[in-house]
C-alpha cells in the first residue's frame, strides 16, 4: 500500500508525537505510522485515499499538516517570514509587553505592587492589557494544542501551562501569568532550536557533496556543468585537485589521493588509480581524475547514509521509550496532585483558598515535563550524528545504547582481523600435474564465486595469463567448496575437510597441507575422482591494527574477544595468536557460527558479532548487536547490520563502545537534572516558598541544561 508523507509544522518533541498517535486512532493503524522528528515528517499507509482524514485530524491538534511535495516546493521557493521567525517574534512581543506593563504599573503603584502582579493592588487597565498581550503572544503556539488536549481529556504539558496562566490571571497575578507565558514560549523556542541544530548536523552530511558536477556530454563530447541530480548515469565526470567528488563512480583516467574522512573517519588519504571506486562527498587532493558515474545523486553511499541516520530516529532507544511512558502517567498524576493541593487544605482544614490555589498553580508549572521529554531525543540525535561523522552508521537509538552493555565481542577472521584480500602464497601440484594445470582447473571452478579465497586464485590465474572457461554442471557445496565438469571430467575444489570427505588424502598430502596451515595459510585442494591434483595455499595478512584494536576493546571494558571463522584450525590459530583474541573456533559453517554465538550469549548475555555484513548475516542476526566492517559502498552490508563501520578500521569498535557509554551517561544525567529540579521545587511549593515565575524559570533552566548537555555529544 502506498505511503502518504506529510510535513507536520509544530512537531518538536515526543509529546507532540504521542498527541498525533492519539489523534490518528481509528484513522490509520498505529503500527503503520512512522515519525521523523528532526524533519517534522509523518509517513502513514493509506496513500491519497486517507490523506484528507489524516490532515484534518492533525490540524485539529493545533499542529499543521501539508503534503511533503508541497513542503518541498515551499522550501525551494523559500520559507515564509512567519515560518522562520514566528516563534522568535511571539517570544519577543511577549517580553516587550511584560516590560511595558511592568513599567506602567511601577510608575502608577510602585515597585512592590508591580512585582506582586496585582494582588491587593489597584492594577491599571493599561497594565492588564499589556500583560494580556504578553499572555496571548507567548501562548500563541500553545493555546491550540492545549485546547485539543482539554477536548480529548488527555492532559499534556501545553494544557498544564495554559491552566497555570489562566489560573494566575483569575486570582489577579497578572505579572506572573504573563511571565509564565513568556518563559514557556522561550522554552519551546529553545526546544525548536535544539531540534533544528541536530537537523543541521545531519544536513551537513548531505552538504558534503557539491551541488554541481562537470561531465563530458555523450552526444557531442562537450564539457557541461549541471546540478548533480541532472547528471546522467554512465557519463564521464571531471574532478580537479582540491574539489569534492560529486557522485559515486569508478576512476577511468588519472591517479590521485582521496581524503575519505568525511564518510569513513579515516585520517590517511587513499590512493586511487584507474578501476578504483570513488564516493560522493570525498575530497580529491592532488591529481585531476575522470570517473564514470555509477549512481544517481539520491542513491550515492552518502545519500544512503543520510537516509539511514534520519530513519534511525524511528528506532527509539529504551531510555526514550521509558521517558515517553513515564510522561504519559506523570502529567495527569501531577494535575491530580495540584487539584488536591488546591482543594484539600481549604475544605478539610478551613485554610484560605487563594494561597493554596496559587501553590497548586505553582505545582502545575513545576510539573511541566518539557525538559524531561526533550532530554533524551536531543541526546540520541546528537549521538547518531556524531557517530555518522566518525564513519560509524548506527541504525537507531536502540543500537546506540547497545554497545554500552556489551560484555563480549565475536570477530570474523577474513576482512575483519585480516586484510580480506588474500594472495596465493604457494602452489603445490601433485600426481603428475603442473602449476598451470592446477591454476586452470581451480580458476574454472572458482569462476562464479565471490569468496575472497576464490578471488585470490582468479587473480593469480589472470596474472599467469590463464583464462579458462567456467566449469560445466557447477554445484556449490555450502561452506565446503564446489564441484563441476572440466573437459568432460568431474573435478572438485574445497577445504582440507572436503579432502577427508572425498577420502583422497594421503600422508604426503596431509604433511604438505599441515605445513601450509602451520604457516597461517588457508589450504585449497583440487582433485578428481582418482586423486588430488594439488594444493594451493592462500594467505591473508593480519591487519596491522588488529592487536591494538583488540587491546582497546578490552580496555573499554569488553571481558572476552572471540574469533569465529570457517577457515582451518592452523590458519585460525596463527591469526588468533597475532591478533591477541581470547579464544577462537575454526572450520565453522554459517550455522556453526550461530551456535557459537548462542554459547557466548549464554555466558556473557550481551555479545556483538563483527563481520562483513554478508556472509556473517545469520550470526549478526543472532547476536545482541551486528556490526559490519568496511561497509562503504556496500548496500548489503549497510542493510544487514545494526551498525556499519564505513571504513575497515577495527579501532572504531572501541570508540563506539566509549561513545555509547558517554551517550547513556548524558541521557541519565539529563533525566536526573529534569526530575531532580522538579522534586526540589515541589518541596518548595509545598513549603509555600516557590513562586510561579521561579518555577517556570527553573523549568526553562532545566530545558537549557539538558539541551546543551545533549548537544555536547555532537563534538564526539
Amino acid at each position: 500500500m502506498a505511503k502518504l508523507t506529510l510535513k507536520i509544522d509544530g512537531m518538536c518533541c515526543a509529546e507532540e508525537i504521542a498527541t498525533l498517535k492519539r489523534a490518528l486512532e481509528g484513522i490509520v493503524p498505529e503500527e503503520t505510522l512512522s515519525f521523523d522528528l528532526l524533519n517534522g515528517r509523518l509517513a502513514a499507509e493509506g496513500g491519497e485515499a486517507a490523506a484528507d482524514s489524516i490532515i484534518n485530524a492533525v490540524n485539529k491538534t493545533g499542529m499543521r499538516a501539508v503534503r511533503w511535495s508541497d513542503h518541498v516546493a515551499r522550501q525551494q521557493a523559500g520559507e515564509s517570514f512567519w515560518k522562520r521567525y514566528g516563534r522568535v517574534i511571539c517570544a519577543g512581543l511577549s517580553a516587550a509587553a511584560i516590560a511595558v506593563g511592568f513599567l506602567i504599573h511601577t510608575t502608577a503603584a510602585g515597585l512592590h505592587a508591580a512585582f506582586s502582579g496585582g494582588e491587593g493592588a489597584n492594577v491599571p487597565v493599561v497594565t492588564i492589557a499589556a500583560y494580556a498581550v504578553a499572555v496571548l503572544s507567548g501562548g500563541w503556539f500553545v493555546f491550540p494544542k492545549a485546547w485539543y488536549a482539554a477536548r480529548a481529556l488527555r492532559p499534556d504539558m501545553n494544557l498544564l501551562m495554559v491552566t497555570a496562566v489562566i489560573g494566575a490571571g483569575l486570582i489577579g497575578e497578572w505579572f506572573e501569568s504573563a511571565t509564565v507565558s513568556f518563559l514557556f514560549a522561550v522554552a519551546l523556542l529553545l526546544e525548536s532550536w535544539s531540534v533544528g541544530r541536530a537537523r543541521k548536523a545531519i544536513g551537513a552530511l548531505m552538504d558534503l557533496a557539491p551541488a554541481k558536477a562537470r561531465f563530458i556530454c555523450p552526444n557531442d563530447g562537450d564539457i557541461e556543468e549541471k546540478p548533480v541530480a541532472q547528471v546522467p548515469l554512465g557519463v564521464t565526470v571531471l574532478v580537479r585537485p582540491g574539489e569534492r567528488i560529486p557522485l559515486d563512480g569508478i576512476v577511468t583516467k588519472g591517479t590521485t589521493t582521496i581524503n575519505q574522512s568525511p564518510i569513513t573517519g579515516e585520517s590517511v588519504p587513499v590512493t586511487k588509480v584507474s578501476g578504483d571506486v570513488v564516493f560522493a562527498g570525498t575530497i580529491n587532493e592532488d591529481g585531476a581524475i575522470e570517473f564514470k558515474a555509477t549512481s544517481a545523486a539520491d542513491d550515492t553511499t552518502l545519500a544512503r547514509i543520510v537516509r539511514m541516520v534520519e530513519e534511525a530516529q524511528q528506532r527509539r532507544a529504551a531510555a526514550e521509550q521509558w521517558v515517553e511512558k513515564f510522561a504519559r502517567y506523570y502529567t495527569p498524576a501531577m494535575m491530580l496532585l495540584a487539584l488536591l493541593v488546591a482543594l484539600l487544605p481549604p475544605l478539610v482544614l478551613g485554610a484560605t483558598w487563594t494561597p493554596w490555589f496559587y501553590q497548586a498553580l505553582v505545582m502545575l508549572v513545576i510539573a511541566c515535563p518539557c525538559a524531561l521529554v526533550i532530554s533524551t531525543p536531543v541526546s540520541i540525535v546528537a549521538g547518531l550524528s556524531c557517530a555518522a561523522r566518525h564513519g560509524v552508521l548506527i541504525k537507531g537509538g536502540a543500537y546506540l545504547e547497545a554497545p554500552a552493555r556489551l560484555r563480549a565481542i565475536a570477530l570474523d577472521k577474513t576482512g575483519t582481523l585480516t586484510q580480506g584480500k588474500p594472495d596465493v602464497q604457494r602452489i603445490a601440484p601433485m600426481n603428475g600435474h603442473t602449476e598451470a594445470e592446477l591454476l586452470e582447473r581451480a580458476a574454472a571452478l572458482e569462476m562464479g564465486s565471490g569468496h575472497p579465497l576464490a578471488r585470490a586464485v582468479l587473480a593469480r590465474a589472470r596474472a599467469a595469463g590463464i583464462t579458462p572457461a567456467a566449469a560445466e554442471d557447477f554445484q556449490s557445496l555450502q561452506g565446503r567448496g564446489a564441484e563441476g565438469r572440466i573437459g568432460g571430467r568431474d573435478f572438485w575444489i574445497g577445504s582440507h575437510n572436503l579432502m577427508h570427505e572425498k577420502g583422497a588424502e594421503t600422508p604426503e598430502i596431509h604433511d604438505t597441507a599441515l605445513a601450509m596451515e602451520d604457516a597461517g595459510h588457508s589450504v585449497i585442494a583440487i582433485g578428481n575422482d582418482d586423486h588430488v591434483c594439488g594444493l594451493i595455499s592462500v594467505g591473508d595478512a593480519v591487519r596491522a591494527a588488529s592487536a591494538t584494536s583488540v587491546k582497546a576493546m578490552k580496555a573499554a571494558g569488553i571481558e572476552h574477544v572471540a574469533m569465529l571463522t570457517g577457515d582451518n584450525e592452523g590458519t585460525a590459530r596463527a591469526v588468533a595468536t597475532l591478533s591477541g583474541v581470547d579464544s577462537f573456533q575454526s572450520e565453522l559453517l554459517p550455522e556453526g557460527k550461530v551456535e557459537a554465538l548462542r554459547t557466548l550469549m549464554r555466558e556473557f548475555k550481551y555479545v556483538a558479532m563483527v563481520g562483513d555484513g554478508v556472509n556473517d548475516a545469520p550470526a549478526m542476526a543472532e547476536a545482541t548487536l551486528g556490526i559490519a566492517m568496511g561497509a562503504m559502498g556496500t548496500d548489503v552490508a549497510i542493510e544487514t547490520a545494526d551498525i556499519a563501520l564505513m571504513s575497515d578500521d577495527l579501532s572504531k569498535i572501541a570508540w563506539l563502545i566509549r561513545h555509547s557509554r558517554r551517550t547513556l551517561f548524558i541521557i541519565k544525567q539529563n533525566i536526573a537534572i529534569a526530575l531532580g529540579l522538579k522534586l526540589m521545587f515541589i518541596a518548595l511549593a509545598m513549603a509555600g516558598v516557590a513562586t510561579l515565575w521561579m518555577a517556570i524559570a527553573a523549568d526553562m533552566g532545566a530545558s537549557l541544561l539538558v539541551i546543551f548537555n545533549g548537544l555536547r555529544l555532537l563534538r564526539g
Side-chain angles (χ1 to χ4, degrees):
M1 188 178 289
K3 280 260 185 184
L4 173 69
T5 306
L6 301 174
K7 167 66 177 176
I8 310 297
D9 290 331
M11 186 175 76
C12 297
C13 73
E15 186 88 355
E16 276 90 14
I17 290 177
T19 298
L20 288 170
K21 287 179 179 177
R22 292 194 294 265
L24 295 174
E25 283 179 4
I27 300 176
V28 285
E30 183 178 325
E31 61 271 16
T32 68
L33 293 171
S34 61
F35 297 89
D36 178 356
L37 183 63
L38 280 191
N39 295 298
R41 181 164 49 196
L42 180 154
E45 285 188 4
E48 288 300 315
D52 291 339
S53 299
I54 294 172
I55 290 172
N56 289 335
V58 171
N59 290 345
K60 288 177 182 177
T61 67
M63 291 175 262
R64 287 290 174 266
V66 296
R67 286 173 174 80
W68 190 258
S69 57
D70 294 339
H71 164 69
V72 171
R74 189 174 66 185
Q75 289 289 101
Q76 291 173 346
E79 281 188 339
S80 67
F81 182 82
W82 178 255
K83 171 70 176 170
R84 182 173 297 181
Y85 300 110
R87 288 185 182 274
V88 176
I89 291 170
C90 284
L93 180 59
S94 182
I98 290 173
V100 170
F102 185 80
L103 183 62
I104 294 171
H105 200 180
T106 301
T107 304
L111 193 60
H112 176 73
F115 265 120
S116 71
E119 189 178 15
N122 185 19
V123 183
V125 175
V126 179
T127 297
I128 295 176
Y131 287 155
V133 170
V135 168
L136 288 173
S137 54
W140 187 261
F141 292 96
V142 180
F143 289 132
K145 297 178 182 179
W147 171 243
Y148 168 79
R151 266 189 1 186
L153 298 178
R154 296 182 184 272
D156 62 7
M157 63 184 183
N158 300 297
L159 184 58
L160 286 181
M161 287 299 103
V162 170
T163 302
V165 166
I166 293 173
L170 290 175
I171 62 172
E173 293 289 349
W174 307 108
F175 173 70
E176 297 205 32
S177 175
T179 304
V180 168
S181 184
F182 161 68
L183 290 175
F184 190 57
V186 173
L188 293 181
L189 179 62
L190 288 170
E191 181 181 289
S192 177
W193 171 83
S194 68
V195 172
R197 175 75 176 82
R199 183 187 300 126
K200 287 177 182 177
I202 291 178
L205 290 173
M206 201 64 205
D207 291 341
L208 290 173
K212 294 184 177 182
R214 286 188 312 281
F215 64 94
I216 300 173
C217 182
N219 297 326
D220 51 24
D222 290 343
I223 296 176
E224 294 188 18
E225 185 173 30
K226 286 187 177 181
V228 288
Q230 299 176 22
V231 176
L233 284 178
V235 299
T236 298
V237 180
L238 313 175
V239 184
R240 299 188 186 109
E243 295 180 340
R244 288 186 182 270
I245 306 295
L247 295 163
D248 288 0
I250 299 173
V251 177
T252 56
K253 184 178 179 181
T255 301
T256 188
T257 54
I258 300 285
N259 179 357
Q260 299 187 152
S261 62
I263 293 179
T264 66
E266 294 172 293
S267 58
V268 179
V270 180
T271 300
K272 299 286 184 178
V273 297
S274 182
D276 286 342
V277 178
V278 292
F279 301 95
T282 57
I283 304 166
N284 180 28
E285 293 206 329
D286 53 20
I289 58 168
E290 298 178 5
F291 70 87
K292 178 182 177 182
T294 57
S295 63
D298 60 356
D299 195 38
T300 63
T301 298
L302 179 62
R304 289 198 301 272
I305 291 172
V306 173
R307 281 200 298 273
M308 288 287 186
V309 175
E310 289 178 342
E311 292 167 2
Q313 304 156 60
Q314 299 170 24
R315 303 179 182 94
R316 293 178 301 149
E320 197 170 359
Q321 295 176 42
W322 178 86
V323 166
E324 183 180 326
K325 290 178 183 176
F326 180 82
R328 191 182 305 163
Y329 299 104
Y330 163 83
T331 303
M334 292 304 294
M335 289 198 78
L336 178 61
L337 179 60
L339 184 64
L340 293 176
V341 168
L343 297 178
L344 288 183
L347 292 176
V348 177
L349 303 175
T352 306
W353 282 94
T354 301
W356 285 103
F357 185 71
Y358 179 83
Q359 293 306 321
L361 295 178
V362 173
M363 291 195 69
L364 284 180
V365 174
I366 294 167
C368 174
C370 185
L372 185 63
V373 296
I374 196 61
S375 62
T376 308
V378 167
S379 302
I380 293 294
V381 170
L384 292 172
S385 302
C386 173
R389 287 209 312 271
H390 281 77
V392 180
L393 179 57
I394 302 175
K395 299 290 190 68
Y399 306 125
L400 178 58
E401 285 186 350
R405 301 189 178 95
L406 292 177
R407 294 179 55 206
I409 293 178
L411 303 169
D412 179 41
K413 177 184 74 69
T414 305
T416 302
L417 286 167
T418 64
Q419 296 284 358
K421 296 178 181 177
D423 296 318
V424 172
Q425 304 294 324
R426 180 183 170 191
I427 301 174
M430 297 170 179
N431 295 311
H433 295 279
T434 66
E435 285 193 10
E437 288 174 339
L438 198 60
L439 268 178
E440 184 178 3
R441 288 175 174 79
L445 289 165
E446 299 283 27
M447 192 74 72
S449 175
H451 193 280
L453 299 184
R455 289 197 294 268
V457 170
L458 291 168
R460 181 62 173 266
R462 283 194 299 271
I466 297 171
T467 54
E472 300 173 349
D473 299 329
F474 178 83
Q475 183 179 358
S476 176
L477 306 174
Q478 187 178 18
R480 295 176 295 154
E483 295 176 334
R485 183 176 292 273
I486 303 172
R489 188 171 186 181
D490 291 335
F491 285 86
W492 52 265
I493 187 170
S495 64
H496 196 161
N497 280 346
L498 187 61
M499 274 199 299
H500 284 296
E501 290 182 25
K502 296 290 184 180
E505 187 172 12
T506 65
E508 178 192 354
I509 294 171
H510 176 78
D511 291 342
T512 303
L514 201 60
M516 291 176 171
E517 290 172 354
D518 287 344
H521 301 164
S522 297
V523 175
I524 299 174
I526 301 95
N528 54 37
D529 292 339
D530 293 336
H531 55 248
V532 173
C533 303
L535 304 178
I536 298 176
S537 76
V538 178
D540 183 10
V542 176
R543 294 181 188 274
S546 289
T548 55
S549 297
V550 170
K551 287 180 181 177
M553 292 177 209
K554 294 179 181 178
I558 299 301
E559 299 173 25
H560 188 89
V561 180
M563 183 183 76
L564 307 179
T565 179
D567 214 335
N568 63 77
E569 184 177 355
T571 301
R573 187 179 302 280
V575 172
T577 301
L578 290 170
S579 59
V581 297
D582 296 308
S583 66
F584 73 91
Q585 293 187 52
S586 58
E587 302 178 14
L588 295 174
L589 297 176
E591 56 267 29
K593 287 189 178 182
V594 171
E595 187 54 44
L597 247 299
R598 289 173 180 163
T599 301
L600 284 170
M601 291 178 74
R602 282 193 290 270
E603 182 176 357
F604 297 102
K605 191 174 182 180
Y606 299 109
V607 182
M609 176 67 198
V610 184
D612 63 9
V614 183
N615 299 328
D616 300 306
M620 286 182 175
E622 185 68 27
T624 308
L625 191 69
I627 302 176
M629 282 280 292
M632 187 171 70
T634 309
D635 295 352
V636 178
I638 291 176
E639 293 291 341
T640 302
D642 304 320
I643 296 176
L645 307 182
M646 304 312 292
S647 68
D648 288 327
D649 188 357
L650 199 60
S651 67
K652 294 287 185 186
I653 295 177
W655 179 90
L656 172 65
I657 293 167
R658 293 193 301 272
H659 180 62
S660 174
R661 288 178 180 160
R662 182 170 179 243
T663 302
L664 268 184
F665 178 71
I666 285 179
I667 288 173
K668 290 174 182 177
Q669 270 188 337
N670 283 347
I671 293 173
I673 289 168
L675 291 180
L677 278 172
K678 291 188 184 305
L679 289 173
M680 183 178 73
F681 268 84
I682 287 172
L684 291 174
M686 298 297 288
V689 176
T691 64
L692 277 175
W693 69 268
M694 286 170 58
I696 190 64
D699 185 71
M700 188 180 72
S703 296
L704 272 172
L705 281 173
V706 299
I707 286 170
F708 286 113
N709 196 36
L711 290 178
R712 282 195 302 132
L713 288 165
L714 285 174
R715 298 201 302 268

